[in-house]
Amino acid sequence: MIKGYKPYKEQKEVIDGVLASESLYHTIVCGRQVGKTITLINLLLYYAINNPRSKALWVSPVYSQINKVMGQIMDALVPTQIMASANKSDYEIKLVNGSKIWFRSAERSDSIRGLSINYLLVDECQDIKTSDWQTSILPTITASGKKVIIAGTPKKKNFFYDYFMMGKSNDYPNYKAYTFPSSASPYVSKDFLEEQRKSLPENVYKQEFDGVFQDQDGQVFRGLKSVLINDSWPQKASNSNIYGGLDIGNREDYSVLTIIDELGRVLFIWRERHMEYSRIVDKVVEICKHYGVRELLVETNGPGDVMFEQIKKAYSRSSPLFQTNQTKENIIRRLMADIEDMNLELPSLSLFPPLGDELEIFEYEVLPSGKIRYGHPSGFHDDCVLSLAIANSCRTNPKRGGGLKIGSIR
């Protein structure tokens, strides 16, 4: 083990279980901040040091993670004279006993192809695509694999979930599974966990800190089928207050305007990109006048700051919203609750596909501080989600006369 590393009870049980077992596949599912990475590092070094001329591979989702792990291992090995060389450019460490350790990122899965290794260790498995696992990572152990150890926190039910479930079953003797919550670690504050338990949605806490897979596959918005129901845009009800939420896109993002009434019915969504800002202003003002929007809430981050002033001049019932991580969390949490409680009526997938698609893939990340950061997966958009969340926030804000719920009148 790394000098100075003293595993606590649950960590030791994992290490002892892996070392004592003849099974090939070992899956570790746990809550956050339990020290799973340092546990994997110690297992990696155990096999590389005690098995001369062995080949080991460490895989993480992104390069920043493997840089950190490689640095930790180098720092641990330098005083021991066990390390023969280290090449940071090639992400390779050689030991004096002839063993080699490679470090690779799943974001460049092509760099993994062709390797033939004995010991495979994969960290943060929840963020690795099943396709990369099947076509690039797993084949590395085909010829001479002796041990596969994968670890992470529950998220989507991908290959990581499948391996965990097989490890729990007696029907698959070549698979083993280990799990423990964040509360098992003596280094995680009980006060911190209690604060997270009170502030996070129950399913998020169970997933992130209890280390329990959730039925809805890590989905942020629950009950979408019950609210994505309108196959045509609803007509404006007489004497109904109407609200708008505008998310202004930057570069390749879309600018999206959502129009919603006080009952929670989305009346219209306008979505466009690659438009001149002056044309966006004209279009937004035109739509707001058409629907008689009582108040338009405009995100003022980035180009929104300048555009808000132009919109305000042409449509006086406009207010600014400068988004911070906290304000974004607040409006998303409100949207989550209103969707789950069926307080909204949204356009169906056939009427306006982008909204439903974005709601389905919208994701969150729990930061080290315990705060949640919401957003879209790389390569996708969340402009429709944010526009809806802004409009819904405007609708439900008591200061703006909001608060009526469609669920109460159905």
Side-chain angles (χ1 to χ4, degrees), residues 245-256:
L246 176 62
D247 179 70
I248 300 174
N250 191 12
R251 297 178 183 175
E252 294 302 310
D253 291 330
Y254 288 87
S255 292
V256 182

Side-chain angles (χ1 to χ4, degrees), residues 44-232:
L44 171 70
L45 291 178
Y46 174 88
Y47 287 116
I49 293 170
N50 290 283
N51 296 274
R53 294 179 296 281
S54 62
K55 299 175 182 178
L57 172 64
W58 180 287
V59 179
S60 293
V62 296
Y63 273 102
S64 60
Q65 292 166 327
I66 64 171
N67 279 324
K68 181 179 179 180
V69 169
M70 185 176 181
Q72 288 178 292
I73 291 177
M74 290 173 61
D75 291 342
L77 292 180
V78 167
T80 67
Q81 298 183 339
I82 293 175
M83 184 171 63
S85 65
N87 189 321
K88 292 185 177 181
S89 298
D90 293 336
Y91 293 99
E92 178 182 312
I93 291 177
K94 295 180 181 179
L95 305 186
V96 294
N97 67 354
S99 292
K100 294 181 181 179
I101 305 172
W102 287 278
F103 301 85
R104 293 291 185 269
S105 164
E107 65 182 337
R108 288 273 311 273
S109 59
D110 57 307
S111 68
I112 302 173
R113 293 175 181 269
L115 291 177
S116 179
I117 54 96
N118 309 119
Y119 302 99
L120 171 63
L121 294 95
V122 185
D123 198 15
E124 305 296 353
C125 252
Q126 74 278 358
D127 293 324
I128 291 178
K129 297 177 182 178
T130 297
S131 58
D132 289 335
W133 169 257
Q134 294 174 337
T135 62
S136 298
I137 302 171
L138 188 59
T140 62
I141 59 118
T142 302
S144 55
K146 296 181 178 180
K147 196 74 71 173
V148 177
I149 309 169
I150 62 178
T153 301
K155 196 173 183 180
K156 294 183 178 179
K157 292 182 178 179
N158 58 2
F159 75 93
F160 182 46
Y161 172 79
D162 294 337
Y163 275 63
F164 176 65
M165 295 306 292
M166 287 189 288
K168 291 175 62 179
S169 172
N170 293 328
D171 295 334
Y172 300 91
N174 211 25
Y175 294 77
K176 296 295 180 184
Y178 315 85
T179 182
F180 54 97
S182 300
S183 58
S185 172
Y187 308 108
V188 177
S189 165
K190 292 182 179 180
D191 291 339
F192 170 79
L193 290 177
E194 185 59 28
E195 180 183 340
Q196 302 316 307
R197 189 190 304 276
K198 292 178 179 178
S199 62
L200 297 176
E202 182 180 3
N203 65 304
V204 173
Y205 182 86
K206 285 182 176 295
Q207 180 168 279
E208 299 296 328
F209 294 101
D210 283 343
V212 177
F213 283 96
Q214 298 299 292
D215 292 337
Q216 298 251 344
D217 208 23
Q219 194 173 0
V220 171
F221 299 105
R222 295 167 171 251
L224 287 175
K225 289 183 179 180
S226 298
V227 295
L228 294 168
I229 55 176
N230 287 336
D231 292 324
S232 61

Side-chain angles (χ1 to χ4, degrees), residues 316-332:
S316 60
R317 295 193 295 275
S318 303
S319 300
L321 173 66
F322 183 79
Q323 286 278 43
T324 65
N325 189 54
Q326 186 59 58
T327 60
K328 186 175 182 180
E329 178 180 344
N330 291 342
I331 65 173
I332 292 297

Side-chain angles (χ1 to χ4, degrees), residues 2 6 73 91 139 147 151 215 228 238 258 268-270 287 298-299 344 375 378 393-394:
I2 292 177
K6 295 181 180 179
I73 291 177
Y91 293 99
K147 196 74 71 173
D215 292 337
L228 294 168
S238 60
T258 298
F268 185 68
I269 300 176
W270 172 79
I287 294 172
V298 181
E299 186 212 25
L344 299 174
S378 177
S393 172
C394 191

Side-chain angles (χ1 to χ4, degrees), residues 237-409:
S238 60
N239 301 320
S240 176
N241 290 318
I242 309 298
Y243 303 91
L246 176 62
D247 179 70
I248 300 174
N250 191 12
R251 297 178 183 175
E252 294 302 310
D253 291 330
Y254 288 87
S255 292
V256 182
L257 171 65
T258 298
I259 304 298
I260 192 170
D261 69 10
E262 63 185 14
L263 300 178
R265 301 182 307 160
V266 170
L267 305 182
F268 185 68
I269 300 176
W270 172 79
R271 177 178 184 256
E272 191 57 79
R273 64 176 172 177
H274 302 148
M275 282 185 70
E276 294 180 0
Y277 289 154
S278 59
R279 291 181 58 202
I280 294 176
V281 171
D282 292 341
K283 190 65 178 179
V284 167
V285 171
E286 175 191 333
I287 294 172
C288 287
K289 287 182 177 179
H290 173 77
Y291 282 95
V293 170
R294 174 176 176 174
E295 182 166 6
L296 170 66
L297 197 55
V298 181
E299 186 212 25
T300 56
N301 299 61
D305 188 28
V306 175
M307 292 183 63
F308 170 73
E309 297 301 327
Q310 299 177 35
I311 293 171
K312 181 73 172 179
K313 290 179 181 178
Y315 199 79
S316 60
R317 295 193 295 275
S318 303
S319 300
L321 173 66
F322 183 79
Q323 286 278 43
T324 65
N325 189 54
Q326 186 59 58
T327 60
K328 186 175 182 180
E329 178 180 344
N330 291 342
I331 65 173
I332 292 297
R333 291 276 292 275
R334 177 69 206 216
L335 182 60
M336 290 166 60
D338 282 338
I339 288 177
E340 189 166 357
D341 293 341
M342 294 188 295
N343 293 332
L344 299 174
E345 283 188 4
L346 309 180
S348 66
L349 287 171
S350 60
L351 176 60
F352 193 79
L355 176 60
D357 291 341
E358 288 186 15
L359 288 167
E360 285 278 359
I361 65 171
F362 199 71
E363 63 183 15
Y364 67 87
E365 174 188 3
V366 177
L367 304 175
S369 63
K371 295 291 185 180
I372 295 182
R373 178 165 57 204
Y374 292 100
H376 58 84
S378 177
F380 295 88
H381 298 278
D382 61 6
D383 315 284
C384 291
V385 173
L386 295 181
S387 174
L388 173 62
I390 293 170
N392 189 55
S393 172
C394 191
R395 175 187 77 92
T396 57
N397 190 328
K399 294 180 180 179
R400 299 184 172 97
L404 290 178
K405 299 182 178 180
I406 196 166
S408 64
I409 63 172

